[in-house]
Amino acid sequence: MAETSAQKLAAELVNRREAINRELSRNGVRFGIYKNGTYHDQLFPYDPVPRVIASDEFDELERGLKQRVNALNAYLKDIYSDKRIIHDGIIPEEYVYTSAGYFPQVNGVTPPGGIFAHIAGEDLVQGEDGQWWVLEDNLRIPSGASYPLFVRDIERRICPTLFRDVHIRDNRAYPTLLRKSMDFVSTEGIAVVLTPGRYNSAFFEHAYLAEKTGAVLAFPEDLEVEGNKLWFVDYSGAKHRVGVVYRRLSDEYLDPFAFNPDSVIGVPGLLSAYRAGNVAIMNAPGNGAADDKAIYYFVPAMIQYYLHEDPILKNAPTYMPMFESDRKEVLDRLGELVIKDVAEAGGYGVVFGSSLDAARREELADRIKAEPRRFIAQEVIQFRDLTVIDPATGEPVPRKADLRAFVVTGKDTHVWYSGLTRYSSIPGQMIVNSSQGGGFKDTWIMAPDAQSGVQEDADQSRDREKIALAAEAARHSLALVTSSKTDTLYWLGRYTERVFTTIKRFFPFYDQVMDTDVDAFRPFARALDLPEDFADFDTFIKNFLYDAGNPDSVHAAIKAAFNNAVILRPELGSDLLQYVELALTNIVDASKHAANADDLYKQRDITDDLLAFWGGIENSTVDPTLKAFIFIGKYVERIDLYTRFGLPKEQLLPPLRKLASYAMTLDGMPLPQCFANGVRWLIGQMPVRGYGELADTLKTFLNGFGDRISASRLRDIGMISAMNMDAMKP
C-alpha cells in the first residue's frame, strides 16, 4: 500500500519536472566534467522518477552495509598496524603492498577515534531477480550525497501535501551524521571542508556540505602547519586551530612534503600534524588500500575474519588474474566478462569483452598476461532497468541505474536513509558514472509504517536543528573569513554592480539609436573602454551584452559574479546565491534572441535579480562585516562607472556616503588590500575624468588609514560629502 502511494507521488513529480529542474538550476546544483582538457560546469541531469526501496528490503541492505564498512575499517586499522590478516594468510601480502592506494607514510598511525573510513560510498546494483550486489567500495572521497539531499527539499516543497500522505524515511539527517562524525574524531579546534578549488567537479557539494554542517570551506592556501598543528588563517592574519579536516582531494595531493612534491593544492606538513595526532582527516590517508578493485575480491573473507560473520551482501562474481586458475578462466572467457583496470575510477578503465573485436581482445589478453595484478574480471550482472523520463520526448524509457549508498561512521555506524541513484544517459549502457555523463534521481526509502515514520522524523529533527544552528552561526562569523574570501566578497559586489549599472545606463543610448542617431552607442562604448569600430548597432549589442568570450561584456561580468558567488555559499547561503545564478540563466536565455535584437526588456529580469540579491543580503542575518565587503565593492564600482559616464557630481555623493557608511562597519579591523587598491586606482582616474575635487575627498577618506580602518576618519568623509551637497544646492 505504501509503495503504491509512493508511485502516485512519483507520477505527480513527473508532471512537475520542469519546476524542479528550474529550482535546481537557480540554486546552482552542478557537476563539472573535463572534456579534452577543458572544464565544463553544467547542471547535473535530474530525473523526477525516484527509485523506491521497500522498508524491509532496505533494512536488509542496511545490515549488510554496516557489516561491510565495519569490516573494511577493521582491515585498514590492521594493515597499518599489526597486519594480522597478512600473517594469517587470508590476503597475500603482495596484494596489500602493491596496491596504488597503500601508503607506507601512514604505517603505524591510528587516526583519532580509530576510524579510517568515516564516509563510505558503496556502489550497488540490483539484478533482474531482485538480488542486490556490491560492485565497489569507495573509501577515499566518495561524492554525490548532496544531490539527493538538495533535490528532496525541492520535491517536498513542490508536492507538500503528497509528502505528508506518503511515509518516506527522512533523508535530511545526512549533514547531522556528517557533523557528528566530525565532532567525534576532532582533536581540538574548528571543522573545515578542504576543497582543491572552484573547478573541482564536485565543488558544489563541497560548498553545500560546508554550509549545511557549519564547517568552514577552506582552500589549501587558507591552512598552514605550525608547531605540528594545523591552523586556519583568517584575512587579518589571526590563526584558528583546526581539529578535523573533511578533505575532498586525493591522497597524493594532500601534502607535498609527504606525497607528491609537485602538488600545488596540498598543505605542506599536514601529514606530520596528522601523524602526531593533532588533527583528524576524513577520510584517512591511505584508505585506497581497501577500495582497490583487487582488494574488493577479499572483502567477504575480511568479514569472516574480523567479525566472525557470514557476509550479508554479495560481491559480484570476481576473478583475479594473479591466481593462475582465475587467469585461465579470464582468458578463456574474455568475450563474456567485464574487465576492470584496478588503477582507474569514475567508470574509466572498464571494458566489456563482448564489445571488443578479435584483435582488441587479443591485445587485452596480452596486457592481462603481462600485468595480472592490474586487472580483475567480473561476471556481467544483468541489473534492472529503471524508468527515466526522456528529456527530449517526455516519454518514459528504460535506463540502467546503480545506487551509491552512503555509510557514515563516528561513534556508531549509520547508513543514510537515501542514496544517489545514477542512471545512464544512453540506452543499454551499463556504465552510469556521473563523470561519464549520466544523470541522477532521488532514492526513496519507505518507512516501516506511519507511526514509526513519524517518530523517526521527530528523533532526527532535534539533531538537525542543532546542526542547522551551528551552520547559521558559522555563516554569520567574519572571524573565519580568509584574505582570499574578502577579495571574493569585494569582487562579487563590483561585478554585480557592473552588470546592473551598465545595463541601466545602456538604455538611454539605445533609445537615441532607435531615434535615428545610429552612432549614439559610440560614446557609451568609449566610456567603458569598449571598441567603437562595429559595423552596426546590432553587432555592438551582441558583443557588449551577450558575447561570453568578450571579457568586457555583460555576460562575462555576470559569469564572473557567479564564479565569486559560488565560493561564498557557506557564508551567504544557497537562498541568496540563487539570485546570481538566475541572472546568469537570464543572460543565457536573452542571448538566444540576440540575432534579432528582440525584447531587450529581458535585461530587466537580470537587473531585478541583482536588486533581489542585494536586498536579500541587506535584510538577511548575515554578519554586517560580511555585508560591508560586498557593498564596499558595489559602491567603488558605482563611483567608477558614474565618473566614466560623466554624471553630475551631486549624483556621486550618495554612493560616496554609502561607501563611507559600509566602511565604518569595519572600524578597527585591518584594511582589506582589495579595498585600498580599488580606492587608490579611482583616485588616479578621477582627475582625468574631470572630478578632481572628489578625488581629493577620496584621498581624505583613504589617507592615514595605515593598516586599520578608522571610523572617525570615515565620519569625516560623510561630513565632507554632506557639506559638498549643501554647497551645490541653489
Side-chain angles (χ1 to χ4, degrees):
M1 182 66 178
E3 288 174 69
T4 303
S5 299
Q7 296 297 344
K8 290 180 181 178
L9 174 53
E12 181 65 24
L13 290 176
V14 171
N15 297 330
R16 309 286 186 90
R17 68 184 185 277
E18 289 186 9
I20 296 171
N21 275 301
R22 186 168 60 249
E23 287 298 312
L24 290 169
S25 175
R26 72 182 287 169
N27 282 283
V29 182
R30 295 170 177 264
F31 189 91
I33 294 179
Y34 282 90
K35 291 181 179 178
N36 301 321
T38 303
Y39 179 82
H40 298 271
D41 196 21
Q42 61 189 33
L43 292 174
F44 196 176
Y46 161 77
D47 183 75
V49 183
R51 164 176 253 149
V52 179
I53 302 178
S55 177
D56 56 353
E57 183 179 9
F58 184 80
D59 288 345
E60 184 71 5
L61 279 176
E62 183 176 26
R63 286 192 291 272
L65 289 166
K66 283 183 179 179
Q67 179 194 62
R68 191 174 182 97
V69 171
N70 286 338
L72 287 163
N73 262 309
Y75 171 72
L76 285 164
K77 186 175 183 179
D78 184 20
I79 63 164
Y80 285 117
S81 57
D82 297 333
K83 302 172 178 56
R84 290 184 296 112
I85 200 166
I86 298 173
H87 297 321
D88 291 344
I90 307 300
I91 299 180
E93 65 178 349
E94 62 265 29
Y95 276 95
V96 177
Y97 300 135
T98 59
S99 170
Y102 180 83
F103 286 102
Q105 296 94 320
V106 292
N107 193 42
V109 179
T110 299
I115 302 165
F116 285 77
H118 309 80
I119 307 105
E122 298 295 308
D123 291 345
L124 306 103
V125 294
Q126 189 172 26
E128 293 176 343
D129 61 355
Q131 172 72 53
W132 286 93
W133 302 85
V134 179
L135 287 187
E136 283 189 10
D137 307 287
N138 297 281
L139 308 177
R140 281 174 274 190
I141 44 175
S143 65
S146 61
Y147 302 104
L149 179 66
F150 199 100
V151 82
R152 180 73 63 83
D153 273 348
I154 297 174
E155 293 169 349
R156 289 167 64 94
R157 285 165 173 75
I158 291 285
C159 300
T161 56
L162 291 173
F163 266 92
R164 276 206 309 265
D165 298 334
V166 179
H167 296 286
I168 300 166
R169 298 196 202 190
D170 195 333
N171 80 339
R172 289 174 290 176
Y174 186 79
T176 305
L177 298 175
L178 189 55
R179 183 67 203 218
K180 279 185 168 182
S181 180
M182 290 178 179
D183 292 343
F184 178 70
V185 300
S186 180
T187 54
E188 179 186 335
I190 64 172
V192 303
V193 176
L194 175 58
T195 177
R198 162 71 182 86
Y199 295 105
N200 181 268
S201 62
F203 180 78
F204 161 77
E205 176 161 286
H206 306 169
Y208 184 63
L209 291 179
E211 175 192 358
K212 300 300 284 185
T213 61
V216 177
L217 183 66
F219 297 87
E221 61 268 24
D222 302 332
L223 302 174
E224 66 176 46
V225 174
E226 183 180 282
N228 237 15
K229 296 181 176 67
L230 184 64
W231 304 90
F232 177 91
V233 184
D234 70 21
Y235 96 101
S236 70
K239 297 178 181 179
H240 308 263
R241 173 82 182 273
V242 178
V244 56
V245 176
Y246 175 22
R247 53 82 173 239
R248 296 301 301 254
L249 65 162
S250 299
D251 288 4
E252 55 268 35
Y253 300 111
L254 267 177
D255 180 350
F257 289 175
F259 301 114
N260 183 351
D262 297 326
S263 172
V264 295
I265 58 172
V267 180
L270 175 58
L271 195 70
S272 175
Y274 171 72
R275 287 179 60 90
N278 291 331
V279 67
I281 299 178
M282 301 169 53
N283 280 330
N287 274 14
D291 69 7
D292 182 309
K293 289 181 176 67
I295 296 300
Y296 163 91
Y297 178 92
F298 298 101
V299 175
M302 288 180 204
I303 293 171
Q304 293 172 327
Y305 181 76
Y306 293 114
L307 306 182
H308 310 293
E309 299 170 359
D310 291 329
I312 297 169
L313 295 176
K314 293 185 177 180
N315 272 16
T318 303
Y319 304 96
M320 300 285 284
M322 279 282 284
F323 299 145
E324 185 177 348
S325 59
D326 280 16
R327 183 167 63 252
K328 184 177 186 306
E329 179 88 7
V330 170
L331 296 174
D332 289 346
R333 300 178 55 218
L334 203 55
E336 304 170 29
L337 302 173
V338 56
I339 312 300
K340 296 182 178 180
D341 187 328
V342 302
E344 297 282 2
Y348 296 99
V350 177
V351 177
F352 288 84
S354 58
S355 69
L356 303 178
D357 58 27
R360 292 171 64 202
R361 203 173 295 166
E362 184 175 350
E363 179 187 349
L364 179 58
D366 289 341
R367 291 175 62 201
I368 292 171
K369 293 173 188 175
E371 299 180 86
R373 171 62 176 86
R374 183 173 174 177
F375 300 94
I376 64 168
Q378 292 177 332
E379 300 285 354
V380 177
I381 297 174
Q382 295 301 326
F383 52 96
R384 281 182 177 176
D385 289 315
L386 296 183
T387 298
V388 172
I389 303 301
D390 189 316
T393 66
E395 296 297 318
V397 294
R399 292 288 186 272
K400 298 298 181 187
D402 74 354
L403 171 65
R404 173 164 288 181
F406 290 89
V407 185
V408 182
T409 303
K411 182 179 180 181
D412 302 298
T413 300
H414 300 273
V415 179
W416 183 37
Y417 291 154
S418 187
L420 179 68
T421 292
R422 301 174 296 183
Y423 63 88
S424 171
S425 57
I426 301 171
Q429 179 173 290
M430 300 180 77
I431 299 175
V432 300
N433 298 69
S434 312
S435 54
Q436 300 290 303
F440 84 100
K441 54 173 66 200
D442 197 2
T443 305
W444 292 357
I445 312 301
M446 302 308 299
D449 55 56
Q451 183 58 43
S452 62
V454 171
Q455 182 62 44
E456 176 182 73
D457 288 356
D459 289 342
Q460 291 181 355
S461 66
R462 286 192 289 270
D463 282 332
R464 284 204 312 273
E465 183 178 352
K466 294 175 186 175
I467 298 301
L469 289 172
E472 194 76 2
R475 187 183 306 149
H476 300 162
S477 172
L478 182 69
L480 298 178
V481 172
T482 61
S483 177
S484 63
K485 281 199 176 178
T486 61
D487 284 0
T488 301
L489 288 158
Y490 172 80
W491 282 105
L492 175 58
R494 290 203 67 161
Y495 279 119
T496 51
E497 174 64 27
R498 186 173 302 176
V499 171
F500 181 84
T501 294
T502 51
I503 289 176
K504 284 290 188 182
R505 300 305 306 173
F506 169 70
F507 281 108
F509 291 95
Y510 175 78
D511 290 339
Q512 291 180 50
V513 172
M514 294 301 100
D515 292 337
T516 71
D517 185 1
V518 294
D519 289 328
F521 73 88
R522 300 191 192 280
F524 177 83
R526 194 176 309 125
L528 295 175
D529 298 328
L530 298 172
E532 299 177 48
D533 56 346
F534 292 101
D536 54 51
F537 184 54
D538 288 345
T539 306
F540 172 73
I541 287 179
K542 184 175 180 181
N543 182 274
F544 163 62
L545 291 177
Y546 307 122
D547 185 0
N550 171 18
D552 297 317
S553 72
V554 171
H555 192 158
I558 293 176
K559 191 163 186 181
F562 171 77
N563 286 335
N564 282 281
V566 293
I567 293 170
L568 300 166
R569 189 181 298 272
E571 287 79 17
L572 303 181
S574 296
D575 290 345
L576 290 174
L577 299 191
Q578 65 178 306
Y579 294 111
V580 184
E581 172 75 29
L582 274 173
L584 181 60
T585 300
N586 281 326
I587 192 70
V588 171
D589 290 345
S591 67
K592 296 174 184 176
H593 303 268
N596 302 314
D598 283 349
D599 193 6
L600 285 178
Y601 270 113
K602 289 186 179 296
Q603 309 304 318
R604 186 174 61 184
D605 293 339
I606 295 168
T607 55
D608 287 351
D609 294 334
L610 298 182
L611 286 171
F613 172 67
W614 291 329
I617 293 288
E618 189 61 82
N619 291 311
S620 73
T621 54
V622 170
D623 189 287
T625 47
L626 286 175
K627 296 178 187 179
F629 282 114
I630 294 175
F631 287 107
I632 286 169
K634 169 182 162 65
Y635 288 108
V636 167
E637 184 71 21
R638 179 166 291 188
I639 294 166
D640 179 24
L641 291 170
Y642 278 16
T643 56
R644 285 174 179 270
F645 290 127
L647 299 187
K649 292 178 181 178
E650 58 266 26
Q651 292 191 31
L652 282 154
L653 295 177
L656 272 168
R657 286 202 300 271
K658 284 282 191 181
L659 180 63
S661 66
Y662 280 109
M664 277 194 283
T665 307
L666 306 178
D667 183 24
M669 300 178 67
L671 178 67
Q673 193 61 45
C674 53
F675 179 21
N677 290 344
V679 174
R680 288 191 187 104
W681 183 85
L682 262 180
I683 290 170
Q685 296 294 313
M686 290 174 77
V688 180
R689 299 173 187 174
Y691 298 90
E693 289 183 17
L694 290 180
D696 291 339
T697 301
L698 277 179
K699 284 180 185 176
T700 304
F701 177 58
L702 192 60
N703 284 345
F705 273 8
D707 293 329
R708 294 190 176 268
I709 290 176
S710 166
S712 62
R713 294 189 181 94
L714 298 177
R715 291 189 190 97
D716 292 342
I717 182 68
M719 293 172 62
I720 290 169
S721 298
M723 288 189 293
N724 285 348
M725 180 166 280
D726 289 339
M728 292 176 185
K729 291 179 180 177

